[in-house]
Amino acid sequence: MKLYNTANRQKEEFIPLVEGRAGIYVCGVTVYDHSHIGHARSAIVFDVLVRYFRARGISVTYVRNFTDVDDKIINRANELGKDTATLAQEYIDSFYEDMKALYVMKPDMEPRATEFIGNMIEMIQVLIDKGFAYEVDGDVFYAVEKLEDYGRLSGRKLDEMKAGSRIEINEKKRHPMDFTLWKPSKPGEPMWESPWGNGRPGWHMECSVMSNHFLGGTFDIHGGGQDLLFPHHENERAQSKAATGGEFARYWVHNGFLTVESEKMSKSLGNFIFIKDALRDYHPEVLRFFLQSKQYRSPLDFSRKDVLDCQSGLIRIYRTLQRAEQFTGPNKNNYSSRIQGLIAGEHKNEFLNRFINYMDDDLNAAGVTGLIFDKIKDLNRMLDDAGTNPSEGSINQLKEEIDAFYRAGAVLGIMNSDPSDFISRMEKPSDINESEIEELIKQRKEARAQKEWAKADEIRNRLKEMGIVLEDKEGVTKWRKDI
RNA sequence: GGCGGCAUAGCCAAGUGGCUAAGGCAGCGGUCUGCAAAACCGUUAUUCCCCAGUUCAAAUCUGGGUGCCGCCUCCA
């Protein structure tokens, strides 16, 4: 499999440290507010990466942290008059709710920064002892000039950055780019005892410590949003390499950003979309399908029109799956719950092999989308041909194709729903009088029996105006919400 | 100012040296239907932002230009 390694700005064959295993650390959220759809994209990207590895038979250790101590949390807690631990826990719970709704699997480890303060103090002490860090009046800073290749990951050079104007002047620092490992807390702020006085760790420490704790000083993949590349990941790497002597992450995977109606999400524009908001407007699978409609590294614009276009496509997929059930029966495999090895090895099924080819190419989910719709067209043709009295051979073939389809769906985290449930959820009218509809359909049926087509059509048009579409099939009239 | 990315049909989006430039949505024509809906079939880019170059051959490589975006400060 090829993965784009940000560290080397190119796609590289992924060769794990230990064959058949992969250690993955992903920067999670800072819990000072509900999570937004950008967090959802990131979570889904790495969820799919982990699902894919597992489906291919690789044993994955997946670690994703919570940052539960930080200035933003402290500020928010002060605003709301709560203590930081309570606030953090509330938003952790909120995050879990959102992830569950989006079918994002739980990582194997979800360490919180506050659980590892002791280890952070130890690592800081190691850095001081090794000469990579220095203490000034209770602050401890990392000396960037001490690490030979500081800036290598993000493609920056120290002297170029020195020329930048936005670096805050801090007289205590030996070099303007030196960053905080430990800082004193103000009264009322969370604090821990340390050799440098009561205080708290700098932001980057937690990821160095927790990745080292669970995965070691050298591990396979480190992931996160593109914005974290600098300074966060650069600094993590610097600390870890200096402290552990390991390589730190061997592959760096960064997901692209999300915009909303072509604008960056920001407080000032007031265009933050929380996952909870999005879930009110769209089915979770629509969101997942949409968030994977473009290659994970590219920017993606969350526009209402584009999401609804995706929804139309997903409805078509589910209609086909629903159609197929008359021959295959309902899908009860629940492949998501047994993803390990689900599509390992070579396959007789052409669709799965092509799926694997796309996914092996840096998770080309957009390419996979094309493949999925090709398959949908195929399946519909098979269903058309099968008619009402299909041969045993064609049913078996249909079953095989549907099975392959659900396996791929499990890797992407879609096709989790029962087709009829999904469709009825899409089509369910919220504010419509059902008995009135049934009555009108009855009247239309009578009119049609009398071949009073004008009257029948008038009734159908009336329903159409109410947002109800009719489908006559085999003498039975079904109705649904116009979507 | 520094670093990086992107530009493919009405919209979204694959494809990064070579058969007729995937796929979705929207539109149009047809099959089916009393008419529709759904589904299927066909159709919608002689061309991939512009210019120059390399090559037998480029959307794909090189150089230049234009436009858009991200990071460099907390950020997924």
Side-chain angles (χ1 to χ4, degrees):
Chain A
M1 178 189 190
K2 284 199 169 72
L3 271 181
Y4 185 89
N5 188 354
T6 313
N8 299 324
R9 311 290 141 119
Q10 62 184 10
K11 285 185 199 171
E12 296 174 354
E13 188 62 34
F14 175 69
I15 302 164
L17 216 47
V18 180
E19 199 185 334
R21 310 189 71 90
I24 304 180
Y25 185 94
V26 174
C27 289
V29 292
T30 301
V31 281
Y32 70 104
D33 204 344
H34 295 294
S35 300
H36 56 65
I37 50 177
H39 297 119
R41 184 186 194 192
S42 183
I44 288 169
V45 164
F46 293 105
D47 184 52
V48 171
L49 177 64
V50 170
R51 281 170 184 253
Y52 183 62
F53 275 148
R54 289 187 171 145
R56 294 292 287 152
I58 296 172
S59 298
V60 178
T61 303
Y62 178 24
V63 184
R64 186 183 61 204
N65 71 300
F66 284 112
T67 299
D68 63 347
V69 57
D70 143 287
D71 288 345
K72 292 188 294 295
I73 296 173
I74 293 168
N75 292 339
R76 193 76 202 274
N78 287 340
E79 274 172 35
L80 298 172
K82 294 179 177 175
D83 71 276
T84 54
T86 307
L87 185 87
Q89 187 59 51
E90 280 174 18
Y91 289 123
I92 286 172
D93 292 342
S94 166
F95 180 78
Y96 279 139
E97 255 177 47
D98 295 342
M99 292 302 111
K100 191 177 176 196
L102 291 171
Y103 306 97
V104 174
M105 290 178 170
K106 271 175 87 73
D108 300 293
M109 322 291 178
E110 298 179 279
R112 304 177 186 192
T114 53
E115 298 167 343
F116 284 83
I117 303 287
N119 305 56
M120 292 192 222
I121 290 169
E122 282 171 28
M123 188 178 274
I124 293 168
Q125 190 60 55
V126 169
L127 288 168
I128 292 173
D129 293 346
K130 286 190 174 182
F132 284 97
Y134 55 95
E135 191 235 329
V136 185
D137 304 332
D139 277 296
V140 182
F141 299 106
Y142 183 94
V144 292
E145 286 170 306
K146 298 283 182 176
L147 189 78
E148 183 97 38
D149 63 349
Y150 182 82
R152 156 86 175 68
L153 173 62
S154 56
R156 284 153 220 265
K157 291 190 174 66
L158 272 179
D159 43 347
E160 283 168 1
M161 287 190 282
K162 219 188 267 189
S165 56
R166 292 168 115 175
I167 300 166
E168 196 184 329
I169 309 282
N170 184 334
E171 293 301 327
K172 293 178 179 177
K173 292 182 181 177
R174 293 181 190 166
H175 185 283
M177 291 308 294
D178 287 353
F179 56 90
T180 301
L181 301 180
W182 188 265
K183 61 178 169 186
S185 292
K186 298 190 190 86
E189 292 180 349
M191 61 175 70
W192 288 264
E193 281 179 27
S194 84
W196 321 285
N198 292 159
R200 55 199 157 96
W203 172 36
H204 316 299
M205 271 319 290
E206 60 182 79
C207 294
S208 288
V209 162
M210 298 188 292
S211 62
N212 185 52
H213 183 265
F214 291 108
L215 302 173
T218 304
F219 59 93
D220 294 306
I221 296 175
H222 191 126
Q226 214 162 43
D227 56 315
L228 296 178
L229 180 59
F230 189 89
H232 185 53
H233 289 162
E234 188 70 59
N235 291 351
E236 273 183 48
R237 174 178 175 274
Q239 291 167 349
S240 293
K241 284 191 74 173
T244 73
E247 236 186 287
F248 201 48
R250 301 166 61 240
Y251 298 84
W252 289 86
V253 177
H254 290 97
N255 66 277
F257 254 39
L258 206 61
T259 53
V260 171
E261 307 292 347
S262 303
E263 286 181 319
K264 185 180 171 173
M265 277 195 284
S266 75
K267 286 259 155 69
S268 56
L269 286 165
N271 62 346
F272 262 93
I273 298 182
F274 292 125
I275 295 170
K276 289 181 182 9
D277 297 328
L279 285 168
R280 268 190 285 278
D281 289 344
Y282 310 104
H283 185 106
E285 290 200 32
V286 171
L287 290 172
R288 267 198 90 114
F289 195 55
F290 173 74
L291 292 171
Q292 291 179 68
S293 64
K294 205 173 166 183
Q295 218 280 340
Y296 75 88
R297 279 182 287 117
S298 306
L300 174 63
D301 186 42
F302 192 91
S303 83
R304 182 156 182 83
K305 180 194 176 295
D306 293 346
V307 179
L308 289 175
D309 284 353
C310 250
Q311 175 176 287
S312 301
L314 191 60
I315 289 168
R316 194 170 132 229
I317 291 171
Y318 267 117
R319 281 196 174 124
T320 303
L321 294 176
Q322 186 184 35
R323 254 187 107 188
E325 284 191 349
Q326 63 179 307
F327 300 116
T328 64
N331 170 58
K332 290 176 180 160
N333 287 305
N334 192 211
Y335 284 137
S336 282
S337 66
R338 46 192 180 100
I339 196 101
Q340 191 69 39
L342 188 61
I343 54 167
E346 289 284 312
H347 293 271
K348 277 182 279 180
N349 186 278
E350 185 54 27
F351 168 77
L352 276 183
N353 283 324
R354 294 179 65 194
F355 174 76
I356 289 164
N357 279 339
Y358 274 114
M359 294 299 277
D360 272 348
D361 184 15
D362 197 28
L363 299 179
N364 186 353
V368 166
T369 304
L371 195 60
I372 285 174
F373 282 105
D374 283 342
K375 178 51 66 185
I376 286 300
K377 190 167 279 193
D378 263 10
L379 289 169
N380 273 314
R381 273 180 211 161
M382 287 168 75
L383 289 161
D384 281 352
D385 291 344
T388 48
N389 189 22
S391 70
E392 198 176 318
S394 59
I395 288 180
N396 285 339
Q397 203 196 337
L398 192 61
K399 280 181 173 167
E400 186 197 312
E401 295 297 335
I402 292 283
D403 183 73
F405 199 76
Y406 273 113
R407 283 171 192 261
V411 174
L412 300 176
I414 55 175
M415 284 33 129
N416 298 298
S417 304
D418 174 77
S420 302
D421 287 349
F422 180 87
I423 290 164
S424 66
R425 196 162 151 188
M426 286 294 126
E427 294 173 344
K428 193 168 176 240
S430 48
D431 50 354
I432 289 169
N433 183 335
E434 292 197 23
S435 57
E436 186 188 352
I437 293 165
E438 299 293 349
E439 175 56 30
L440 285 168
I441 288 173
K442 198 176 148 198
Q443 287 176 24
R444 176 167 169 272
K445 189 180 178 185
E446 283 161 14
R448 293 180 75 211
Q450 305 297 320
K451 298 201 190 302
E452 295 176 43
W453 307 125
K455 189 179 173 190
D457 289 350
E458 187 213 307
I459 292 169
R460 191 176 57 208
N461 287 336
R462 228 164 93 193
L463 284 162
K464 173 90 177 166
E465 279 167 27
M466 292 162 61
I468 300 301
V469 178
L470 301 185
E471 293 186 20
D472 300 322
K473 221 175 269 178
E474 289 151 24
V476 179
T477 300
K478 289 185 177 168
W479 64 272
R480 62 176 171 85
K481 194 178 170 187
D482 195 8
I483 47 178

